[in-house]
Each structure stands twice: as structure tokens, then as C-alpha cells.
Amino acid sequence: MKTLADLAPGQVGTIAAIAGTDALTLRLMELGILEGEQVRVVGKAPLGDPIEIALRGSKLSLRRVEAARVKLDLPDSSP
Amino acid sequence: MDLASPDTTPPSLLTTELTVALIGNPNTGKSTLFSALSGIAARIGNYPGVTVEKKVGRYADDAGPVTLIDLPGTYSMAARSADEKVAIDVLLGRLPDVPSPDVLVVIVDATNLDRNLYLFTQIRELGKPTVLALNMWDRVEASGIQIDVQELSRRLGVPVVPCAASRRVGISELRRVIREVTTSSAPPCILGEVFEKQVDKLAGWIQEHCPHLPTDRFVLRRLILDVQGAIEREYCVQAGKDGDALEGAVARAREELAQHGLQVPLVETRLRYQWIRQQLDGIYEIKETGERTWSDRIDHVLTHRFWGFLAFLGVMFLVFQGITWGASWAMDWITDVAQPACVAAVESLLAPGMLRSLLTDGVIAGVGSVVVFLPQILVLFLFIAMLEDCGYMARAAFVMDKLMTKVGLSGKSFLPLMSSFACAVPGIMATRVIDDWRDRMVTILVAPLMSCSARLPVYVLLTYTFVPDRYLAGGWISLQGLVLFAMHLVGAAVAIPVAWALKRFVFPGQTSAFVMELPSYKLPSARVVASRVLERGQAFLTRAGTLIFCTSILVWAAGYFPGDHSRLYQLTAELEAVEQSDAGKDALEPWQRAIRQESGRLIRESVLGRTGQAIEPIVRPLGWDWRIGVGVLASFPAREVIIATLGTIYSLGGDVDEEDPGLRAAIRQATWPDGTPVYNLPVAFSIMVFFALCAQCAATLMVIRRETNSWRWPVFAFVYMTMLAYLGALVTYQVGMWWYR
């Protein structure tokens, strides 16, 4: 299953699940990273990490390791 | 909830005085709303025992005075640390010196309502009269958003006031609603019956076993939800010998919830967001326009692989050139006009004696030479406040994160470290945005290495005295400005290996998380910037007026006693009489020489002089004489005190009179006993490097002590920084002299 870390800038996915039950997962969810939300990768930092994502009304920054916790359903293109 | 509780009565009927708490997510325009409601004059303090800033403002409406409490921006009431718990204590009216709020104003960003309402769902369960301020209303239409405000208000059960704080739209309506809002009782908890039963059960257990512990439902919910949170720790400590049993009871509650499919802590976010989606269904629509906004376009450049870094360096460079250009005229006015005028006024009123010496050499020389740097501090904070308010600071963290991870920190450490360029005290306090304890400790310990505004006086004095006033690149770049910029980089450059070493050897472990909101760019609000600049300027002056003033007096006393000054006063009185009689300059010479000799003898024999001479062998390898050594000793309370100390030493030494152009001239003229000048370029740089790296700041050390809650870390910071500073100054002087000859 693809994760948020696998997306290239401009790509869109729907959040299927967030791995983990620790403080980081809680923080991600408090910021609105929830099952069913549509998320778009806006861009990358100059050195490739962290990434910027757009989610409903807000823009968030997270590192690739953290983005890898967010499992995605991709639009039809995926087999 | 008890129906007779005073919370259920409209406060405006009982009293005309009202206390209002303002709470909301970061980047919702909370500071702007605060100053729009209460004006820019706010009282800034600290909550006892924690590092959270307490900001209180006041305003009056037709019904009477209103006290406005600004709570720190937060996404959630989940209290992981003692700092985060302060918000709960304030909202529940549990802090002795803070009045219990009668009305809560939750400010939300209308363009990002879902996430902002998360905090609201937690706040509403307090059962206090609550108002929802729907800020950024002016941007709603452009963002393709439609909100049915009336229906939203009906569904949420609270008044909703659309406003645009930056344009001061909706402020009077908000004030009116704050007066009129009432509530009947606490709404049912969103987490549902099963969860509430566990709260009842836990309340029963606590009443039976630890009856002294409070059992507000709001707090007990947090006790169950916040795993290893601040409330759990506090309750277990307060339960004393029953602490373990209490922990067991809480753990049982969580287990039973998990058996019902409600897994703590994630159940809270799931259920609250589910509720929010239900409430917003059909009345809050976001049309994804797909168009790139101008904020996106700016972002594309400022986070670009190449332009992003260039923009970042450009901004930093601009800030420090701006200080040189924007503040030097004001500084000159203070040294060349205001200060001599004060000295002349005192001298015309008082005959030579101890009081006159105290006033001119202690008070005016000491405080004056600190106040002179106020213009730079104001300019620096102007830049910092603008960068914060326009949204660039978060981008700087985003751009710098990867680099910061190389030394084991995160981009979140960037903002505290950047703030430390103005002052390590607020910078260290700003480290509370860093969730990870180890990241936070390392940031706290390297923050004092950032070149704060208290070093600026030292740099400015020595740079403007010894670096030629030349312009490079056709008059665009001031050489002195360039040196100032370079001095600011010294501490930051040293901080890199220090942070790496601390992370590697003192705080080893995994790297932390980095989840952060990137707010839209906006024009900085003049009011927010002005209030921040004023706050910091005031804080600096208060420090200059108390701590530095006291040190000036102490240093003056150490330089004045135990000598007998009667001969000096007699000589001074005679000199002034000769000056009055219009005699030529040559006629004054014998008295001036006698005065210099007499005051030189007095300072050498004073407490200060003897201490300085005793440590001269230690500072000699740095190129310093005993007077610089004394200046460093006396500047332990605050770095900028060295200016006051040198001023005092040289005036007491008779090198300065009201005709002199000031301290710069005095230090240029200072000589070793053999007549060679004490100060040259290598000595100037040696002093600057020492001050770039040392921990001569009592306030910083006190803040480290408070933030880490241990004396170990301020002592650690002082020792490692002083060692670095000595080594740095030693290398600078020795290498510098080799090159200078």
C-alpha cells in the first residue's frame, strides 16, 4: 500500500489509515490527518525533506518518516 | 453538573466587571484579535512555576471594565506537559493570581474550520459561556468557502461572530456578544455514554480513596484521555501513597474503554472530528478552486531548492544591515547629545563629591550606555515580529529542517534559535514549541550561543571604534555592518558542533517528530508588530533599569571604595574654578594631570582594581589588561554591563570629562603602563569573540534553570560556554597578533 511519503508533488490520495497509537499518531490526527480525508502533496523542502501537504483548508509540513505512517488509497491509477 | 453553580448564571447580571479568556489554534490571528479588543498595551508576565507567558489586557465597554487573558496558541487541550496544563488551570480558575474567566472566546480560522473546531469541542465541555470568533472572515469568499453562520451558531449552541481582526471588522459586535453571552449547562460530552460512565466510575474511586483530589468532569476526562500526560502525573503525585492505586484505576478505565472499541488516546480525535463533520455537513463548503493562490506562488519561490536558501540568507543579511542603517543615528544622538547634557546638568547642580560621582560615573554612565542600544533592539525586534507575523518564520523552519537534522535538531528549533539572536531569554522560552524533550534540551543549551542583542553593544562599541568606516561595493555594503554580520555568525557556527556533540553524547536517542502548520502568507499587522516591539523594548529597558542599574551602582561602589577621595574633589573644584576664569587651555594642564594621577591611584587601590589586577595573569594571554578583566567579571549579570563597567572604570580613571566624545575615545586612549595602546584590532576581536561565546547573562541562566527545573543545566551551560569563550578569545588574539604584526 502506498503511503503519503511515496507521492510526488501535485499527486492526490485519500487517507486509508494511520499507523501507530503513540503521541505522534495522536498529533497527526489532532491536526486533521484522518481516515477519509483527501490529501495533496504541495511540494518538498529545498533538500527534499520535509514535505508540504494540503489537507482541507490547511497546509502542513511533515517529514518523510512521519508521512510514511499515513497509508493512502490512490485514485484509479493504482492496480 | 450542579445547577446551582455560579457558572450557570449570566455574569453580566452579577457584576459589571468581566474576565474573558481568549483561546485558539496558532496562526488564527489571536494576537491581532487580542490587540484589536484591548489595545496594544498589555501586561506581560509568567505563570508561576512554568514557562508560559501570561498576557493580560484591559478594555471597557458601556457595562464596565473587561479583563482579557490571552492563552498560548494550541491545537488541543490534551496536556502533555506542565506548560500545556496551564491553559486548563486558567480556564478552570485554579490559579491564585488569575481571576476565573467568566466568558471564553474561542477564535477560529474560518478558512480552516474543521481543524479549528477540534479545540472548540474540548472547550465547550467546560460548560462556561463561550463565544466562537470566526476570524479571517475577509478571506472566506476568496478561498471559495461558504458558511451558514446562523445555522452554525444554532448547531454548536454558542453565538458565532464573524470578524476580521486585522481590518478591525466585527470587533464591536464581538464585544457586545461577550457581554451578553450566557449558558444553561455543560453540553453532553461528545465522547458518549460509555466514556462518561468510566468518568463517573473514576470519580467515585477518587472520592472514596483520595477525597482531597478535585473531581471536575473536565479534568477527569483529560486524566483518562492523556496517556502519561501532565494531569495523570499531577494526580499520581498528589495521591501520595495511593498514587500507584490511582494509576491502576486510570489504567482499568482505559482497558474497559478499549474493550468497548474506544481506544485511548485516538478515540478522542476520531469521535470529535466525526462530530465536527456532522455539525458542518451542508453548512460549510470548500470549493477546491484548483488555482494556485498568490500565497502558493510566494511559497514556491521561498521554499525553492536554490531561491529558498538564497532568500533565507538575504533576509538574515538584510536584518543585520538594517540594524546598522536604521539605528546608528539614534545611537549617536544619545551618546553625543543626551548623555553629555545629563552629566553637565548634574555637574552644574552639585559640587564635586560622592553623590556627584555616584550620579555621573555610576548612574548616568552606566544606564546611559545601555539605553543607547535601545534603537538597535527595537529595529531587530521589528524585523523578527514582521517575519513571524507574515508567516515566513514557519517556512524558515521548513527550509532549515533537513539541515537542522544534521546536528540532530529539527526545524522547530530554528525559531527559538532565531529568536535567541534578539535575546536568549525569550528564545529559550520559545523552545516549548519543541515537543521532543531531548531536542528541547539541546536547543536550550545552544540558544545562549546565538548572538543576542546584549552582545550588540559590545560588538557595536568595538566595531565602530576599531573597524574603519568604509563602504564596499560602490557604497552599498558598510564594512562595519559586514563585521557585525560576521560576529553574529560566530556563535551560530560554533553552535553546530556543540549541538551535534550534545545530541550525540549527552542526550542520545532517536530523532523526533516534525509536524507543523504552514500558515498562509499575509501582510504583517502593524498593531501586532508594534505591540511586540514595544513589549520587548520595555522588557529590555526594565532590565536596563533594574538589573543593570544595580550592577552599575555596585561596580561604581567597588571602584570607589575604600579610597579617600578628598584630594580628588579638591583638585576637581580647583580645576572648575580655573575653567570659569577663562584661562587658556595650557593653564588647565597641571590640574588635569594631577586629577588623572589621583583617580588612577584611587581605582588601582579600589576593591575592583585589586580584583582585576589579581586576575590579570589569567586574561593577559587574551591580550586584555586588568580593566577588561574587571569588565568581564562585572558583566556576569548581563553582557551589556561590560559597557557600563568600562564607562565607569574610565570615568573614575579620569579619562572622560564632559568635553570628551565618550567611551569610544576613552578606550582608544587607554594604554599599558609602558604607553602602548591596550586596544588594537586583535584585542577588539578577542573581546568580541569572548562575548560571542560566553554565558555572561544571569537572566539566561535563570531561565535555563526554570525551563529545565534543575541547577545542573545552567551550571553546565555556564561552564562549557566560558571554556569555549576563553579558548575562542585566546586563539583569536594569538592568531590575530601574528597576522597583525
Side-chain angles (χ1 to χ4, degrees):
Chain A
M1 196 176 218
K2 288 240 176 190
T3 71
L4 189 52
D6 303 323
L7 257 53
Q11 274 192 294
V12 178
T14 305
I15 299 172
I18 300 123
T21 55
D22 57 357
L24 172 61
T25 306
L26 182 67
R27 171 46 40 123
L28 292 174
M29 290 175 71
E30 280 175 352
L31 286 169
I33 301 179
L34 294 160
E35 293 94 338
E37 289 286 352
Q38 203 184 54
V39 61
R40 175 170 58 96
V41 173
V42 178
K44 294 186 265 185
L47 295 169
D49 195 17
I51 60 169
E52 179 179 352
I53 62 164
L55 180 94
R56 297 282 277 193
S58 64
K59 301 257 164 64
L60 299 175
S61 148
L62 60 167
R63 289 202 190 120
R64 287 177 169 280
V65 251
E66 293 144 15
R69 286 192 177 209
V70 183
K71 315 274 183 227
L72 297 179
D73 284 331
L74 292 185
D76 301 333
S77 59
S78 61
Chain B
M1 170 167 282
D2 183 358
L3 286 175
S5 119
D7 282 347
T8 57
T9 320
S12 48
L13 295 183
L14 291 175
T15 169
T16 53
E17 260 196 77
L18 202 60
T19 303
V20 177
L22 185 59
I23 188 161
N25 287 10
N27 309 309
T28 48
K30 192 158 64 66
S31 314
T32 317
L33 183 65
F34 180 88
S35 59
L37 278 171
S38 71
I40 55 173
R43 277 190 301 126
I44 308 287
N46 259 76
Y47 291 107
V50 288
T51 59
V52 180
E53 193 172 70
K54 180 165 90 179
K55 194 167 161 190
V56 180
R58 274 174 216 291
Y59 68 90
D61 57 16
D62 297 339
V66 177
T67 304
L68 190 63
I69 305 169
D70 189 22
L71 286 163
T74 180
Y75 295 110
S76 164
M77 292 305 286
R80 298 169 187 90
S81 64
D83 282 0
E84 289 176 328
K85 199 174 90 47
V86 168
I88 296 177
D89 288 336
V90 171
L91 293 176
L92 290 173
R94 282 184 171 178
L95 294 180
D97 56 340
V98 186
S100 177
D102 306 304
V103 174
L104 310 179
V105 176
V106 180
I107 176 173
V108 294
D109 176 354
T111 65
N112 187 3
L113 201 52
D114 320 44
R115 200 208 54 219
N116 276 258
L117 281 180
Y118 184 81
L119 182 66
F120 168 80
T121 63
Q122 294 174 324
I123 298 291
R124 74 193 268 278
E125 286 163 12
L126 282 161
K128 291 214 179 197
T130 304
V131 181
L132 192 72
L134 208 52
N135 199 25
M136 315 264 185
W137 189 247
D138 49 336
R139 287 212 234 148
V140 161
E141 219 162 282
S143 312
I145 291 170
Q146 284 184 326
I147 307 179
D148 183 342
V149 175
Q150 275 186 336
E151 179 61 14
L152 182 69
S153 170
R154 200 190 60 77
R155 290 190 192 177
L156 298 180
V158 297
V160 176
V161 184
C163 55
S166 55
R167 299 182 186 193
R168 310 178 64 68
V169 173
I171 303 302
S172 48
E173 171 71 2
L174 185 58
R175 284 184 176 171
R176 189 184 63 75
V177 174
I178 285 173
R179 265 297 164 193
E180 290 171 0
V181 64
T182 56
T183 187
S184 46
S185 64
C189 178
I190 287 169
L191 301 177
E193 284 296 311
V194 177
F195 183 82
E196 287 299 280
K197 275 202 187 104
Q198 289 299 330
V199 175
D200 290 334
K201 214 166 133 187
L202 188 61
W205 190 94
I206 289 174
Q207 268 156 8
E208 189 184 329
H209 296 89
C210 315
H212 62 288
L213 290 176
T215 51
D216 320 47
R217 298 195 71 84
F218 185 84
V219 177
L220 291 190
R221 284 181 200 133
R222 296 258 56 98
L223 177 60
I224 296 177
L225 289 168
D226 302 343
V227 181
Q228 291 168 355
I231 293 187
E232 188 175 348
R233 285 196 301 271
E234 187 192 81
Y235 265 66
C236 287
V237 169
Q238 285 183 4
K241 61 178 172 46
D242 295 320
D244 289 341
L246 175 61
E247 218 174 336
V250 174
R252 262 198 312 283
R254 287 174 188 155
E255 267 167 42
E256 282 173 33
L257 284 171
Q259 282 161 16
H260 286 86
L262 304 176
Q263 198 172 28
V264 172
L266 303 186
V267 59
E268 187 185 11
T269 44
R270 290 215 170 91
L271 292 179
R272 287 192 190 282
Y273 270 111
Q274 198 185 344
W275 187 86
I276 292 168
R277 283 171 181 173
Q278 282 165 7
Q279 306 308 309
L280 292 184
D281 186 46
I283 58 166
Y284 182 74
E285 304 284 344
I286 303 181
K287 271 190 238 121
E288 269 283 358
T289 49
E291 269 174 54
R292 292 211 305 174
T293 62
W294 59 271
S295 181
D296 289 342
R297 273 168 223 190
I298 297 176
D299 218 24
H300 187 68
V301 177
L302 292 183
T303 58
H304 186 267
R305 183 177 289 269
F306 174 73
W307 299 115
F309 272 123
L310 203 69
F312 172 76
L313 283 178
V315 166
M316 295 286 286
F317 190 74
L318 193 76
V319 167
F320 294 109
Q321 286 286 322
I323 294 168
T324 314
W325 285 31
S328 53
W329 61 270
M331 220 178 70
D332 289 345
W333 181 83
I334 294 172
T335 22
D336 300 345
V337 182
Q339 214 175 316
C342 290
V343 173
V346 170
E347 289 186 343
S348 70
L349 289 172
L350 291 171
M354 195 171 106
L355 182 61
R356 175 161 139 182
S357 169
L358 171 67
L359 288 178
T360 58
D361 301 329
V363 179
I364 298 174
V367 168
S369 56
V370 170
V371 170
V372 72
F373 299 101
L374 191 63
Q376 274 113 333
I377 283 153
L378 295 182
V379 173
L380 183 64
F381 271 108
L382 183 72
F383 278 106
I384 288 183
M386 286 195 299
L387 289 178
E388 273 179 346
D389 205 44
C390 76
Y392 184 71
M393 281 298 214
R395 266 64 185 199
F398 181 69
V399 169
M400 300 308 287
D401 181 63
K402 182 83 183 188
L403 272 185
M404 301 294 277
T405 55
K406 302 254 193 246
V407 294
L409 295 175
S410 80
K412 278 188 191 163
S413 298
F414 183 79
L415 187 124
L417 292 177
M418 174 80 191
S419 312
S420 300
F421 273 99
C423 179
V425 173
I428 288 171
M429 285 156 79
T431 60
R432 60 174 182 262
V433 302
I434 306 168
D435 328 316
D436 185 78
W437 177 78
R438 290 171 307 117
D439 274 14
R440 188 167 175 223
M441 288 300 294
V442 174
T443 310
I444 287 174
L445 291 175
V446 299
L449 282 172
M450 300 301 118
S451 198
C452 67
S453 54
R455 270 118 159 168
L456 205 56
V458 183
Y459 298 162
V460 167
L461 174 75
L462 294 167
T463 302
Y464 285 70
T465 312
F466 294 103
V467 175
D469 184 15
R470 252 190 265 142
Y471 282 80
L472 311 174
W476 285 97
I477 299 171
S478 134
L479 182 63
Q480 295 172 334
L482 202 63
V483 169
L484 281 185
F485 179 63
M487 285 315 301
H488 280 88
L489 290 186
V490 168
V494 170
I496 294 171
V498 170
W500 180 84
L502 285 174
K503 201 66 198 272
R504 182 102 170 68
F505 301 111
V506 187
F507 305 100
Q510 272 192 325
T511 39
S512 62
F514 184 72
V515 197
M516 183 182 67
E517 193 182 0
L518 295 170
S520 299
Y521 289 100
K522 64 182 176 78
L523 280 178
S525 139
R527 289 174 73 90
V528 167
V529 170
S531 67
R532 211 159 294 169
V533 169
L534 275 182
E535 275 162 32
R536 296 308 161 199
Q538 218 169 16
F540 177 80
L541 272 192
T542 321
R543 261 182 87 202
T546 52
L547 187 69
I548 301 171
F549 175 82
C550 292
T551 317
S552 296
I553 301 299
L554 283 178
V555 171
W556 167 84
Y560 187 88
F561 297 107
D564 172 14
H565 288 66
S566 51
R567 197 175 119 74
L568 182 70
Y569 296 147
Q570 195 197 335
L571 286 167
T572 312
E574 284 173 22
L575 175 74
E576 278 166 17
V578 177
E579 277 173 347
Q580 300 271 310
S581 71
D582 283 342
K585 279 228 162 178
D586 297 345
L588 303 176
E589 180 56 25
W591 275 282
Q592 285 171 342
R593 197 172 339 117
I595 286 172
R596 269 202 295 273
Q597 279 168 0
E598 178 64 8
S599 36
R601 182 184 68 79
L602 285 167
I603 186 100
R604 262 195 310 280
E605 290 171 7
S606 69
V607 175
L608 196 64
R610 283 177 208 172
T611 318
Q613 282 155 36
I615 66 155
E616 197 180 69
I618 304 173
V619 298
R620 189 67 194 84
L622 312 181
W624 303 358
D625 72 349
W626 61 271
R627 288 190 267 210
I628 304 172
V630 165
V632 169
L633 282 186
S635 68
F636 170 73
R639 292 180 187 88
E640 59 266 47
V641 169
I642 189 172
I643 306 295
T645 311
L646 288 178
T648 311
I649 291 176
Y650 288 115
S651 353
L652 282 177
D655 290 332
V656 178
D657 64 41
E658 74 272 14
E659 240 82 59
D660 259 301
L663 185 56
R664 289 177 197 176
I667 66 170
R668 252 188 221 122
Q669 289 158 12
T671 55
W672 291 101
D674 66 3
T676 54
V678 170
Y679 293 83
N680 53 31
L681 217 48
V683 172
F685 274 100
S686 154
I687 298 172
M688 286 198 284
V689 167
F690 185 91
F691 276 88
L693 302 178
C694 72
Q696 304 281 99
C697 177
T700 300
L701 295 172
M702 288 312 292
V703 164
I704 296 180
R705 144 94 184 104
R706 206 177 47 187
E707 292 288 318
T708 61
N709 211 14
S710 150
W711 279 109
R712 196 170 145 201
W713 298 112
V715 169
F716 178 85
F718 182 76
V719 170
Y720 101 78
M721 286 180 69
T722 305
M723 274 161 48
L724 265 183
Y726 187 87
L727 274 174
L730 183 71
V731 170
T732 305
Y733 176 71
Q734 297 298 341
V735 172
M737 279 315 278
W738 181 67
W739 187 67
Y740 191 67
R741 282 193 195 105

